[in-house]
Each structure stands twice: as structure tokens, then as C-alpha cells.
């Protein structure tokens, strides 16, 4: 299916504008990194990881990753293409697929990335929600690869939270930000259905807890 002129302009300009906004925000922000010791040691030691975060905290996540190469799973929609082109400018590869469409192809792409020595990232509630509810994808990737899942959250002292399905967060310029990394979650390669559900529930609880902590970080509560 061919694209119209407006679609081509959108796909060319929106990622450029998005990268400009993200980089400008980062330049004006003071960011703290909490709980990163295990995460950094594993990456810097050459071991692979799965990075997981809620869809609504996607914007600043390029600055949470200290490694040499990561691949993110994005949807096959037009919005997914915009995300893919945006993150490419940060050296982040992407594969296309979601729980609703193209999941098998997306999983194959992530597994190939792991085999090529890359880390992988996934939003367990994406691409359509419900928000803050983990699907099974990250757990399935963890079982297939043996890699640990590191849950991550971002918060800001001042930010706009949109009334979207994912409660998307846009930090204001010249504010303070925080990334909080949780304990890794491992899934055995012989994990059965009950084990998988338990891991999925742990991931969901971890992400929600970290997100709440990040949102309260600057209020002192």
C-alpha cells in the first residue's frame, strides 16, 4: 500500500522533531539513577538483559540504557513506525510486532538480536494496553533466552501526564528526573504455565511499584 504525501512528510519530520524534544529535555534536566548497580555490572560485563518499562514512560528511556546495543519491540502500526524511526536516531534498533498483530515475527526478531549479542527492550503493556497491565511477552522472551528481566521506571519532579490509555508522561524542561531500576526477574527455561503467570505477576507488581516510587521521589513521600 503506497503512502500519500502527508504520510511521507509525517514519517520524515515527526521522528526528527521527537528526537529534538527528547535531547533538549535531557540537556536541561538533572537526572538521578537509583538501583543501577546490578544492571550496569551485567551490561558492562558483556551479559545480555531484557529491559522492561511501561509504555507511558517510553520518552526518556534512551537515557536509561548504558550498553552498546539494544533492540526494542514496537507495533506494526503507523505509530510504531514513528517510534522505530525516532529511536533509530539514538542507536536503538527495532523489530515489529505486538500481542495483537505480528507477535511471532516480533519474537523471532528479538531472539535474533539476542543471538547477535544485543540487549532487548519491551513495553509489557504495549502497544494498546490496558495500561500498567503486563502481558506475557517479556516473560516468554526471558524463558526462551534465559536472560533476566530488569524492570525500569522514570519519574520527573514536574511533568505533563496525558489522559491517554498509557498515561503518557512528558517531563517539563529544566526539571529533575529519576530512573529507578528494580531487581532482575528470572524465568527458567523449563517454566510451566503457573511459573510463567507468577513471573508475569511479579513483573507487573515490580513495574507498578517502581513507577509509584519514581512519581513520589521528588515529593519526599
Amino acid at each position: 500500500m503506497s503512502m500519500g504525501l502527508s504520510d511521507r512528510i509525517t514519517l520524515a519530520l515527526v521522528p526528527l522533531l521527537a528526537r529534538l524534544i527528547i535531547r533538549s529535555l535531557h540537556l536541561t534536566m538533572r537526572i538521578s539513577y537509583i538501583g543501577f548497580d546490578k544492571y550496569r555490572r551485567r551490561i558492562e560485563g558483556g551479559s545480555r538483559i531484557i529491559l522492561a518499562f511501561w509504555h507511558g514512560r517510553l520518552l526518556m528511556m534512551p537515557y536509561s540504557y548504558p550498553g552498546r546495543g539494544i533492540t526494542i519491540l514496537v507495533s506494526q502500526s503507523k505509530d510504531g513506525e514513528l517510534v522505530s524511526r525516532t529511536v533509530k536516531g539514538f542507536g536503538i534498533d527495532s523489530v515489529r510486532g505486538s500481542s495483537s498483530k505480528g507477535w511471532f515475527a516480533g519474537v523471532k526478531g528479538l531472539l535474533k538480536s539476542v543471538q547477535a549479542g544485543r540487549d532487548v527492550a519491551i513495553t509489557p503493556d504495549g502497544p494498546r494496553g490496558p495500561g500498567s497491565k503486563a502481558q506475557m511477552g517479556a516473560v516468554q522472551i526471558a524463558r526462551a533466552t534465559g536472560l533476566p528481566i530488569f524492570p525500569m521506571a522514570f519519574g520527573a519532579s514536574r511533568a505533563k501526564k496525558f489522559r491517554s490509555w498509557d498515561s503518557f508522561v512528558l517531563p517539563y524542561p529544566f526539571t529533575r528526573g529519576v530512573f529507578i531500576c528494580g531487581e532482575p526477574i528470572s524465568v527458567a527455561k523449563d517454566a510451566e504455565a503457573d511459573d510463567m503467570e507468577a513471573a508475569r505477576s511479579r513483573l507487573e507488581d515490580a513495574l507498578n511499584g517502581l513507577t509509584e516510587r519514581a512519581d513520589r521521589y521528588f515529593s519526599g513521600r
Side-chain angles (χ1 to χ4, degrees), residues 5-72:
L5 178 60
S6 62
D7 288 332
R8 292 197 297 271
I9 293 173
T10 297
L11 289 174
L13 294 183
V14 169
L16 291 174
L17 178 60
R19 288 196 296 271
L20 177 61
I21 291 172
I22 294 168
R23 289 188 171 117
S24 298
L25 286 171
H26 180 253
L27 285 172
T28 68
M29 294 176 69
R30 288 181 294 157
I31 298 180
S32 301
Y33 293 84
I34 309 299
F36 268 59
D37 288 347
K38 290 181 181 179
Y39 176 62
R40 281 200 181 102
R41 280 201 303 269
R42 184 173 177 91
I43 292 175
E44 291 170 0
S47 299
R48 304 297 87 193
I49 59 97
I50 300 167
L51 177 60
F53 47 87
W54 289 142
H55 195 275
R57 307 299 167 121
L58 173 67
L59 189 71
M60 302 304 296
M61 280 297 162
Y63 295 103
S64 73
Y65 176 70
R68 291 167 292 182
I70 192 166
T71 300
I72 187 170

Side-chain angles (χ1 to χ4, degrees), residues 1 33 44 50 66 76-77 108 113 121 124-125 131 140 146 157 179 185 191:
M1 183 176 178
Y33 293 84
E44 291 170 0
I50 300 167
Q76 294 181 320
S77 66
K108 285 181 65 177
S113 291
D125 59 344
Q140 291 171 334
S157 59
F179 287 108
I185 297 170

